[in-house]
């Protein structure tokens, strides 16, 4: 799974670089990364419930 995530990350980064949407160096935010699982788990029930009516907002 990690290699798939890394591959997608790398491809997306290269694509965004090619269209000048991001800088070469990506920002780091370890404090958010540490809390991401708790944030996502709290959001998932609401996000799934609202997906039918607001798919873009729900996935955002």
């Amino acid at each position: 799974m990690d290699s798939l995530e890394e591959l997608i990350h790398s491809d997306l980064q290269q694509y965004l670089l090619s269209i000048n949407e991001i800088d070469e160096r990506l920002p780091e935010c370890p404090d958010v990364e540490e809390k991401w699982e708790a944030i996502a788990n709290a959001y998932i029930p609401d996000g799934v419930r609202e997906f039918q009516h607001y798919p873009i907002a729900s996935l955002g």
Side-chain angles (χ1 to χ4, degrees):
M1 182 66 177
D2 287 338
S3 63
L4 177 60
E5 182 178 343
E6 291 169 7
L7 178 64
I8 292 170
H9 181 272
S10 176
D11 285 349
L12 181 58
Q13 181 180 12
Q14 290 305 312
Y15 170 71
L16 292 173
L17 278 169
S18 74
I19 60 172
N20 296 319
E21 290 295 323
I22 62 171
D23 294 328
E24 184 74 31
R25 187 166 186 265
L26 295 175
E28 296 179 16
C29 193
D31 55 330
V32 172
E33 290 177 16
E34 291 172 5
K35 296 183 184 274
W36 174 245
E37 187 172 345
I39 293 168
N41 286 336
Y43 173 75
I44 287 174
D46 291 331
V48 169
R49 183 173 47 247
E50 297 298 331
F51 183 80
Q52 185 74 23
H53 300 290
Y54 310 102
I56 293 173
S58 177
L59 291 175

